[in-house]
Amino acid sequence: MPIPRRIPTLLLAAALSITAFAGEERKAMDLTGSSGKYLPERDAACTAAQTDARQTAATLCERDRGTIDGPVVFGACTCQQGGFEEKEWLCSAKATFSCLVGATGAATPPAPAPMASGAPLKLELPAELSNLQLLDRVFSRRGFTLTDELLEQRLNAACASGWALACKAPSWKDGTRPTLEKASSDLEKACDGGDDDACVAWGWALEAKAVPTSDGELFRAAARRYKALCDGKKNATACYDYGTILFNELGVKADPRLGLKRWTDACELGEAASCSVLAKVYRTGLKTKASPDQAATFANRACAAGDPAGCVEQALLMNDTAREQDQIARACTLGGVEACFELATSYLNGVRQEPVAGRTRQLLDLACDLGDGRSCAKGGQLALEAGDDAAAARELRKACAVNQVPACASLAEMVLTDRLDATVQDELYAFEVACSRADMASACSELGLALLDSDQGLANQPRARALLRQSCKDETSPAKSCFVLGDLYENGKGGEKDRTLAARYYKWACTQGWGQACERRGDLLAEGVGVQLDWADAVVMYQAGCDAGLPTACHKAGVLLDEGTHIARDGDRAKALLQMGCERGIGEACLRHGKLALDKTLGRDEAEARRSFESAVGLGNTEAHRRLAYLLWNGIGGKKEKKRAKELTAAGCRNDDPIACRGPAFQTED
């Protein structure tokens, strides 16, 4: 199992899943004093520790608290007793001292314990960063970074101070963050110009390019640069990176011990991350013999140097889960994106219990601010579930901007469900991603519809047609998109006309109750355009449209049933449908209904005919003027009203009805 290149990050992530270690993995050190005096009591204790080292060490440490000459500090501490200076012990701040033997290193004060209180987590900014450390943060090489704003500030300051490479950083962005791929050329040129830091970072770029295809030559090219800097200039980071290539045999065949040697050199030169990875290797026995003593030595040194990964290793060696959480959280506050995300995920998945309410959101917010799209997406979902729509939209936008597909889909859904006061144009990118990569039919539909809306300045009928095809696939698809797609095909908008396809899309939309689609398919069937002429099916479609509330569909169904050309005539049903159309404001329906009311085969009802013609006149139907005039002149269906009959025919005449121009006395029922 190779050690990944983002070592501290993965150490922290691994810590989340490790909860216990077998007692035989721990050994007590030989506690003879530095003076060489043999202490039988301690020797016996060390023998007992072979089976339960932690318990024994804790007992000894607790017992010795009251007899130690001088103060005992947390972290790595030197204990003195009875005038004899003992070897150093690793202590942690618990109810009692819990000591692990075998650690060396300078005494350090305890690291902050952010998990122990309800105080909000905040990003801790390093006071100073070397040029190489800044590049490490820029490319998040070891899992630590800064916010976009802080990165820009630090790079601008470095540029202003005369570091030419930093001045080129704006051109390295791919989206919102710089990438090694974009920076590679500038790093190579700066390296050729004598910038050692650029040479190390160029090695990173070569590795990044090598990873997708496991290109051994590129790995070897990076290794050559690291080795030259490690051997020739004692560059600690280069030694560490060279050791990683050797240990993982990336493009090279090497004894893992060569990698351990380079990591040890890097640790001695002050590369805390190298000390941390050595602690992990010796704790787990990865490609070497496990050695808790050496693991503790390197963990202590890394932690003393301020590397949270080393402090996590300390906690793992002591099986101290509380301290482990503290250090992982501390890594998060130092810009460790993976630490933030993995710890938050462990709370969400129930692996760990959230120490204080809201801590998960704090971790995700920090990681999101550091540019981690996954954390933005999870934070946005939590905000959605909590009903905090403003926060949800803010986090989801950040996640979507770095191509977190589910976040884009959630953002689009917020618009569609009116949880976000925005238009498709406002969240155009979210809809684009939700449609193309999340296969979200509703997003494709709304995006396609928006591309037909000239008011939003997005008009693009061919693309709208393509998007709506993605959305409308069967009778379960969004009804509106199927209807609009049918219209595009029927009228040749955004492409060629295809009324056969139009009829299909209308049918799917009609199945879901989209009345206009029912009526439009009925029109095609009634005319035999694009589909076989079928009045029976057309009536079914019109009836569905009528039932959906479209008065024109009621009228059209009534007309077909009344005419009975390609279908058996059904006057009663026609009359009922025409009445519905009339009552909903269709003058033509009122006129035809009035005529049917005078049909003796349907039970002639002159008063009803008079009412229907009256309604048709009120709705502006020209022919109805002379039809009603005839009934009024002759007193059919009610009393005679000759004056009004004359007025009606005069009005009909003015509206270009030549029959009305003859006057009321010359009108007939037909």
Side-chain angles (χ1 to χ4, degrees):
M1 173 181 171
I3 290 284
R5 283 172 297 286
R6 289 172 61 176
I7 302 297
T9 295
L10 293 160
L11 284 174
L12 294 168
L16 293 161
S17 62
I18 302 173
T19 57
F21 298 88
E24 58 268 19
E25 290 183 349
R26 303 178 182 278
K27 296 179 181 178
M29 62 184 280
D30 177 11
L31 294 180
T32 56
S34 59
S35 62
K37 180 177 179 179
Y38 180 67
L39 303 175
E41 181 183 15
R42 290 295 177 87
D43 181 60
C46 291
T47 300
Q50 298 298 320
T51 56
D52 194 351
R54 184 172 182 275
Q55 179 179 349
T56 301
T59 301
L60 286 171
C61 197
E62 173 64 14
R63 186 202 66 188
D64 290 345
R65 282 184 69 187
T67 59
I68 292 175
D69 296 333
V72 177
V73 296
F74 298 128
C77 56
T78 298
C79 299
Q80 292 182 336
Q81 180 184 21
F84 295 100
E85 181 179 359
E86 307 297 346
K87 290 187 178 180
E88 294 169 341
W89 293 54
L90 178 65
C91 304
S92 66
K94 299 182 70 175
T96 62
F97 284 111
S98 175
C99 300
L100 175 67
V101 295
T104 60
T108 58
M115 305 307 297
S117 72
L121 300 179
K122 295 182 179 180
L123 190 63
E124 298 178 21
L125 305 179
E128 293 183 4
L129 290 173
S130 68
N131 288 349
L132 187 53
Q133 288 172 330
L134 179 55
L135 287 174
D136 184 274
R137 295 282 180 133
V138 167
F139 301 116
S140 194
R141 167 72 174 178
R142 289 167 177 76
F144 289 82
T145 187
L146 296 172
T147 64
D148 291 344
E149 181 180 0
L150 290 174
L151 280 178
E152 185 174 353
Q153 289 177 2
R154 293 297 177 98
L155 287 167
N156 287 341
C159 175
S161 68
W163 188 29
L165 182 61
C167 302
K168 299 180 181 296
S171 66
W172 302 344
K173 288 186 177 181
D174 185 0
T176 60
R177 307 284 290 190
T179 67
L180 284 165
E181 181 181 2
K182 290 280 189 180
S184 179
S185 177
D186 289 334
L187 293 171
E188 181 180 6
K189 291 176 183 177
C191 176
D192 291 342
D195 186 334
D196 290 346
D197 296 326
C199 291
V200 174
W202 185 29
W204 302 342
L206 291 172
E207 286 193 72
K209 187 176 180 180
V211 168
T213 59
S214 299
D215 190 322
E217 182 52 43
L218 287 173
F219 279 124
R220 290 190 289 275
R224 287 192 292 271
R225 282 153 184 79
Y226 296 149
K227 183 178 186 302
L229 289 167
C230 178
D231 291 342
K233 300 194 176 181
K234 302 301 180 185
N235 185 300
T237 301
C239 292
Y240 170 55
D241 289 328
Y242 184 41
T244 300
I245 285 182
L246 294 173
F247 190 86
N248 290 331
E249 298 183 85
L250 300 173
V252 298
K253 288 189 178 296
D255 188 325
R257 288 176 295 182
L258 296 176
L260 291 175
K261 171 63 170 64
R262 293 294 180 167
W263 279 341
T264 302
D265 292 343
C267 179
E268 294 292 341
L269 289 169
E271 183 73 11
S274 199
C275 303
S276 294
V277 75
L278 285 165
K280 177 182 174 66
V281 167
Y282 284 117
R283 174 176 58 78
T284 61
L286 179 63
K287 291 189 178 183
T288 191
K289 184 179 179 180
S291 173
D293 288 352
Q294 286 184 284
T297 296
F298 288 115
N300 184 42
R301 182 172 295 172
C303 187
D307 185 10
C311 301
V312 169
E313 284 299 310
Q314 284 184 340
L316 291 171
L317 286 164
M318 291 185 293
N319 197 22
D320 187 339
T321 56
R323 179 178 173 84
E324 179 192 351
Q325 281 194 75
D326 289 343
Q327 295 305 327
I328 296 170
R330 179 167 176 258
C332 173
T333 64
L334 291 173
V337 170
E338 290 293 335
C340 303
F341 179 76
E342 296 294 345
L343 188 54
T345 300
S346 75
Y347 295 143
L348 289 173
N349 294 341
V351 175
R352 297 181 182 276
Q353 184 176 354
E354 191 178 44
V356 292
R359 183 51 51 85
T360 303
R361 280 285 300 276
Q362 290 176 18
L363 290 164
L364 293 173
D365 287 348
L366 265 180
C368 182
D369 290 341
L370 291 167
D372 184 53
R374 303 163 306 166
S375 297
C376 298
K378 280 188 178 290
Q381 289 299 326
L382 289 179
L384 269 180
E385 293 168 10
D388 188 349
D389 290 349
R394 183 173 60 252
E395 300 298 287
L396 292 173
R397 283 191 182 106
K398 292 179 183 178
C400 183
V402 291
N403 296 317
Q404 287 289 315
V405 175
C408 296
S410 294
L411 191 57
E413 186 66 23
M414 288 186 73
V415 175
L416 296 176
T417 56
D418 295 326
R419 291 188 67 173
L420 179 60
D421 184 15
T423 65
V424 174
Q425 184 177 21
D426 294 333
E427 304 297 343
L428 187 61
Y429 184 70
F431 277 88
E432 292 273 12
V433 174
C435 172
S436 62
R437 296 175 60 186
D439 198 24
M440 183 177 171
S442 56
C444 295
S445 174
E446 290 302 318
L447 182 57
L449 295 173
L451 291 173
L452 295 173
D453 186 355
S454 58
D455 291 340
Q456 293 193 41
L458 303 174
N460 186 335
Q461 289 185 346
R463 181 143 191 269
R465 191 152 127 164
L467 286 168
L468 291 172
R469 277 201 307 271
Q470 289 180 243
S471 172
C472 181
K473 298 178 179 179
D474 54 36
E475 63 274 2
T476 66
S477 302
K480 185 176 181 180
S481 63
C482 290
F483 166 68
V484 173
L485 186 57
D487 177 72
L488 293 175
Y489 274 99
E490 181 184 2
N491 295 295
K493 299 175 183 176
E496 295 182 357
K497 288 184 179 182
D498 190 329
R499 287 171 175 165
T500 301
L501 277 178
R504 178 193 302 172
Y505 293 131
Y506 287 147
K507 182 178 181 180
W508 289 346
C510 178
T511 299
Q512 297 189 67
W514 198 270
Q516 289 173 285
C518 303
E519 183 177 4
R520 294 282 283 275
R521 185 166 191 271
D523 291 343
L524 294 176
L525 290 165
E527 297 169 11
V529 177
V531 291
Q532 185 175 353
L533 186 144
D534 188 337
W535 277 27
D537 198 9
V539 169
V540 171
M541 290 290 102
Y542 287 143
Q543 179 74 65
C546 179
D547 293 342
L550 291 179
T552 51
C554 304
H555 172 229
K556 291 174 181 178
V559 170
L560 294 189
L561 289 168
D562 181 24
E563 291 183 358
T565 305
H566 302 288
I567 190 176
R569 186 171 187 270
D570 188 337
D572 289 329
R573 189 179 171 198
K575 187 177 177 184
L577 285 163
L578 291 167
Q579 183 174 359
M580 292 175 67
C582 177
E583 290 172 350
R584 297 175 187 178
I586 305 299
E588 287 290 331
C590 298
L591 175 66
R592 187 175 283 267
H593 181 267
K595 292 178 180 179
L596 288 178
L598 295 174
D599 188 333
K600 293 179 181 179
T601 65
L602 299 176
R604 182 180 175 92
D605 187 334
E606 296 172 345
E608 184 178 24
R610 190 160 167 166
R611 288 193 298 272
S612 293
F613 291 145
E614 190 75 70
S615 296
V617 168
L619 292 168
N621 184 272
T622 299
E623 183 181 343
H625 283 70
R626 60 181 171 85
R627 295 283 181 181
L628 179 57
Y630 170 76
L631 298 182
L632 294 176
W633 184 267
N634 295 290
I636 300 171
K639 66 179 182 178
K640 291 182 179 181
E641 296 183 36
K642 292 193 173 185
K643 180 179 179 182
R644 184 152 183 256
K646 290 179 179 180
E647 292 172 349
L648 286 167
T649 52
C653 183
R654 288 194 299 273
N655 288 325
D656 299 324
D657 181 355
I659 299 176
C661 294
R662 299 174 185 173
F666 297 94
Q667 302 304 314
T668 64
E669 193 168 297
D670 296 330

Coordinates of all heavy atoms in Angstrom, one line a residue, residues 368-412:
C368 N -15.4 24.9 3.1 CA -16.0 25.6 1.9 C -15.3 26.9 1.6 O -15.0 27.2 0.5 CB -17.5 25.8 2.2 SG -18.4 26.6 0.8
D369 N -15.0 27.6 2.7 CA -14.3 28.9 2.5 C -12.9 28.7 1.9 O -12.3 29.5 1.3 CB -14.2 29.6 3.8 CG -15.5 30.2 4.3 OD1 -16.4 30.3 3.5 OD2 -15.6 30.5 5.5
L370 N -12.4 27.5 2.1 CA -11.1 27.1 1.6 C -11.1 26.5 0.2 O -10.1 26.1 -0.3 CB -10.4 26.1 2.6 CG -10.0 26.7 3.9 CD1 -9.6 25.5 4.9 CD2 -8.8 27.6 3.8
G371 N -12.3 26.6 -0.4 CA -12.5 26.2 -1.8 C -12.8 24.7 -2.0 O -12.8 24.2 -3.1
D372 N -13.3 24.0 -0.9 CA -13.6 22.6 -1.1 C -15.1 22.5 -1.5 O -16.0 22.7 -0.7 CB -13.3 21.8 0.2 CG -13.6 20.3 0.0 OD1 -13.0 19.7 -0.9 OD2 -14.4 19.8 0.8
G373 N -15.3 22.1 -2.7 CA -16.7 22.0 -3.2 C -17.5 21.0 -2.5 O -18.7 21.2 -2.3
R374 N -16.9 19.9 -2.1 CA -17.7 18.8 -1.4 C -18.3 19.4 -0.2 O -19.5 19.1 0.2 CB -16.8 17.6 -1.1 CG -16.2 17.0 -2.3 CD -15.0 16.1 -1.8 NE -14.1 16.9 -1.0 CZ -13.2 16.3 -0.2 NH1 -13.0 15.0 -0.2 NH2 -12.4 17.0 0.5
S375 N -17.5 20.1 0.6 CA -17.9 20.7 1.8 C -19.0 21.8 1.6 O -20.0 21.8 2.4 CB -16.8 21.3 2.6 OG -15.8 20.3 2.9
C376 N -18.9 22.5 0.6 CA -19.9 23.5 0.3 C -21.2 22.8 0.0 O -22.3 23.2 0.4 CB -19.5 24.4 -0.9 SG -18.0 25.4 -0.7
A377 N -21.1 21.7 -0.8 CA -22.3 21.0 -1.2 C -23.0 20.4 0.1 O -24.2 20.5 0.2 CB -22.0 19.9 -2.2
K378 N -22.2 19.7 0.9 CA -22.8 19.2 2.2 C -23.4 20.2 3.1 O -24.4 20.1 3.6 CB -21.7 18.3 2.9 CG -21.5 16.9 2.3 CD -20.6 16.1 3.2 CE -20.4 14.7 2.7 NZ -21.6 13.9 2.8
G379 N -22.6 21.3 3.2 CA -23.1 22.4 4.0 C -24.4 23.0 3.5 O -25.3 23.3 4.3
G380 N -24.5 23.1 2.2 CA -25.7 23.6 1.6 C -26.9 22.7 1.8 O -28.0 23.2 2.1
Q381 N -26.7 21.4 1.7 CA -27.7 20.4 2.0 C -28.2 20.5 3.4 O -29.4 20.4 3.7 CB -27.3 19.0 1.7 CG -27.1 18.8 0.2 CD -28.4 18.9 -0.6 OE1 -29.5 18.6 -0.1 NE2 -28.3 19.4 -1.8
L382 N -27.3 20.7 4.4 CA -27.6 20.8 5.8 C -28.5 22.1 6.0 O -29.4 22.1 6.8 CB -26.4 20.8 6.7 CG -25.6 19.5 6.8 CD1 -24.4 19.7 7.7 CD2 -26.5 18.4 7.4
A383 N -28.1 23.1 5.3 CA -28.8 24.4 5.5 C -30.2 24.2 4.9 O -31.2 24.8 5.4 CB -28.1 25.5 4.8
L384 N -30.3 23.5 3.8 CA -31.6 23.3 3.2 C -32.5 22.5 4.1 O -33.7 22.8 4.3 CB -31.5 22.4 1.9 CG -31.3 23.2 0.6 CD1 -31.2 22.2 -0.6 CD2 -32.5 24.1 0.3
E385 N -32.0 21.5 4.7 CA -32.7 20.7 5.7 C -33.2 21.5 6.9 O -34.2 21.2 7.5 CB -31.9 19.4 6.1 CG -31.7 18.5 5.0 CD -30.6 17.4 5.3 OE1 -30.2 17.4 6.5 OE2 -30.2 16.7 4.4
A386 N -32.3 22.4 7.3 CA -32.6 23.3 8.4 C -33.6 24.4 8.1 O -34.0 25.2 8.9 CB -31.3 23.8 9.0
G387 N -33.9 24.6 6.8 CA -34.8 25.6 6.3 C -34.1 27.0 6.2 O -34.8 28.0 6.0
D388 N -32.8 27.0 6.2 CA -32.0 28.2 6.0 C -31.7 28.4 4.5 O -30.6 28.1 4.1 CB -30.7 28.2 6.8 CG -30.0 29.5 6.9 OD1 -30.4 30.4 6.1 OD2 -29.1 29.7 7.7
D389 N -32.7 28.9 3.8 CA -32.6 28.9 2.3 C -31.5 29.9 1.9 O -30.8 29.6 0.9 CB -33.9 29.3 1.7 CG -34.9 28.2 1.8 OD1 -34.6 27.1 2.2 OD2 -36.1 28.5 1.5
A390 N -31.3 31.0 2.6 CA -30.2 31.9 2.2 C -28.9 31.3 2.3 O -28.0 31.4 1.4 CB -30.3 33.2 3.0
A391 N -28.6 30.7 3.4 CA -27.3 30.0 3.6 C -27.1 28.8 2.6 O -26.1 28.6 2.1 CB -27.2 29.5 5.0
A392 N -28.2 28.1 2.4 CA -28.2 27.0 1.4 C -27.8 27.5 0.0 O -26.9 26.9 -0.6 CB -29.5 26.3 1.4
A393 N -28.4 28.5 -0.4 CA -28.1 29.1 -1.7 C -26.7 29.5 -1.8 O -26.0 29.3 -2.8 CB -29.1 30.2 -2.1
R394 N -26.2 30.2 -0.8 CA -24.8 30.7 -0.8 C -23.8 29.5 -0.9 O -22.9 29.6 -1.7 CB -24.6 31.5 0.5 CG -23.2 32.1 0.6 CD -23.1 33.0 1.8 NE -23.3 32.3 3.1 CZ -24.4 32.4 3.8 NH1 -25.4 33.2 3.5 NH2 -24.5 31.7 5.0
E395 N -24.0 28.5 -0.1 CA -23.1 27.3 -0.1 C -23.2 26.5 -1.4 O -22.2 26.1 -2.0 CB -23.3 26.4 1.1 CG -23.2 27.1 2.4 CD -21.8 27.6 2.7 OE1 -20.9 26.8 2.9 OE2 -21.6 28.8 2.6
L396 N -24.4 26.3 -1.9 CA -24.6 25.6 -3.1 C -24.1 26.3 -4.3 O -23.6 25.6 -5.2 CB -26.1 25.3 -3.3 CG -26.8 24.3 -2.3 CD1 -28.3 24.2 -2.5 CD2 -26.2 22.9 -2.4
R397 N -24.1 27.6 -4.3 CA -23.5 28.3 -5.5 C -22.0 28.1 -5.5 O -21.5 27.9 -6.6 CB -23.8 29.8 -5.3 CG -25.2 30.2 -5.7 CD -25.4 31.7 -5.8 NE -26.7 32.1 -6.1 CZ -27.6 32.7 -5.2 NH1 -27.2 32.9 -4.0 NH2 -28.8 33.1 -5.6
K398 N -21.4 28.1 -4.3 CA -19.9 27.9 -4.3 C -19.6 26.5 -4.8 O -18.7 26.3 -5.5 CB -19.4 28.1 -2.8 CG -19.5 29.5 -2.3 CD -19.0 29.5 -0.9 CE -19.1 30.9 -0.3 NZ -18.6 30.9 1.1
A399 N -20.4 25.5 -4.3 CA -20.2 24.1 -4.7 C -20.4 23.9 -6.2 O -19.6 23.3 -6.9 CB -21.1 23.2 -3.9
C400 N -21.4 24.5 -6.7 CA -21.8 24.4 -8.1 C -20.7 25.0 -9.0 O -20.4 24.5 -10.1 CB -23.1 25.0 -8.4 SG -23.7 24.9 -10.1
A401 N -20.1 26.1 -8.5 CA -19.1 26.8 -9.3 C -17.9 26.0 -9.5 O -17.1 26.2 -10.5 CB -18.7 28.1 -8.6
V402 N -17.7 25.0 -8.6 CA -16.5 24.1 -8.8 C -17.0 22.7 -9.3 O -16.4 21.7 -9.0 CB -15.6 24.0 -7.5 CG1 -14.9 25.3 -7.3 CG2 -16.5 23.6 -6.3
N403 N -18.1 22.7 -10.0 CA -18.7 21.5 -10.6 C -19.1 20.4 -9.7 O -19.0 19.2 -10.1 CB -17.7 21.0 -11.7 CG -17.4 22.0 -12.8 OD1 -18.3 22.6 -13.3 ND2 -16.2 22.2 -13.2
Q404 N -19.7 20.7 -8.6 CA -20.3 19.7 -7.7 C -21.7 19.5 -8.3 O -22.6 20.3 -8.0 CB -20.3 20.2 -6.3 CG -18.9 20.1 -5.6 CD -18.5 18.7 -5.3 OE1 -19.2 17.9 -4.9 NE2 -17.2 18.4 -5.7
V405 N -21.9 18.5 -9.0 CA -23.1 18.3 -9.8 C -24.4 18.3 -8.9 O -25.4 18.9 -9.2 CB -23.1 17.0 -10.7 CG1 -24.4 16.8 -11.4 CG2 -21.9 17.2 -11.7
P406 N -24.4 17.5 -7.8 CA -25.6 17.5 -6.9 C -25.9 18.9 -6.4 O -27.1 19.2 -6.2 CB -25.2 16.5 -5.8 CG -24.1 15.6 -6.4 CD -23.3 16.5 -7.3
A407 N -24.9 19.7 -6.1 CA -25.2 21.0 -5.6 C -25.9 21.9 -6.7 O -26.8 22.6 -6.4 CB -23.9 21.7 -5.2
C408 N -25.4 21.7 -8.0 CA -26.1 22.5 -9.0 C -27.5 22.0 -9.2 O -28.4 22.8 -9.4 CB -25.3 22.2 -10.4 SG -23.6 22.8 -10.4
A409 N -27.8 20.7 -9.0 CA -29.1 20.2 -9.1 C -30.0 20.7 -8.0 O -31.1 21.1 -8.2 CB -29.1 18.7 -9.1
S410 N -29.4 20.8 -6.8 CA -30.2 21.3 -5.6 C -30.5 22.8 -5.8 O -31.6 23.3 -5.5 CB -29.4 21.1 -4.3 OG -29.2 19.7 -4.1
L411 N -29.5 23.5 -6.4 CA -29.7 25.0 -6.6 C -30.8 25.2 -7.6 O -31.7 26.0 -7.4 CB -28.4 25.6 -7.0 CG -28.3 27.1 -7.1 CD1 -28.7 27.7 -5.7 CD2 -27.0 27.6 -7.5
A412 N -30.8 24.4 -8.7 CA -31.9 24.5 -9.7 C -33.2 24.1 -9.1 O -34.2 24.8 -9.4 CB -31.5 23.5 -10.9

